[in-house]
Amino acid sequence: AGGFQMEFAADQTTIPLNADTTINEMTRGEGGPSESQLQASDLKEGDIVMIWLADDGKTALTIRKQQFGQGNRGKAGSDQ
């Protein structure tokens, strides 16, 4: 399978992905946090991601897309 490259405009960095790279998204709903698997094509310009590098220090091992402002975040109190 061919690799996928991510490029960043400022201080341009290319991080190759391969078949071992996992991409996921953590979201928070009323039932608590949940995780879903994504494809590289699900990542869009402007997404905020965290990247863990493989042992080679160059290839992405794991990419986690961050979600902000979902679920109960920002609400004061609980079901009291």
Side-chain angles (χ1 to χ4, degrees):
F4 179 82
Q5 302 268 340
M6 298 181 75
E7 295 188 20
F8 303 93
D11 296 330
Q12 201 158 42
T13 301
T14 300
I15 301 173
L17 311 181
N18 62 29
D20 295 329
T21 303
T22 59
I23 304 171
N24 57 50
E25 176 178 40
M26 296 295 290
T27 56
R28 291 180 188 248
E30 290 184 20
S34 65
E35 180 178 7
S36 57
Q37 295 295 315
L38 301 177
Q39 300 295 317
S41 60
D42 295 324
L43 299 174
K44 305 293 182 227
E45 182 177 342
D47 285 345
I48 298 171
V49 298
M50 293 176 61
I51 301 172
W52 287 263
L53 297 178
D55 289 338
D56 67 5
K58 299 175 186 175
T59 306
L61 177 64
T62 303
I63 298 174
R64 179 174 293 158
K65 180 178 174 183
Q66 301 297 313
Q67 289 291 346
F68 296 100
Q70 290 188 343
N72 294 328
R73 185 179 179 134
K75 290 184 179 179
S78 60
D79 293 317
Q80 297 177 350

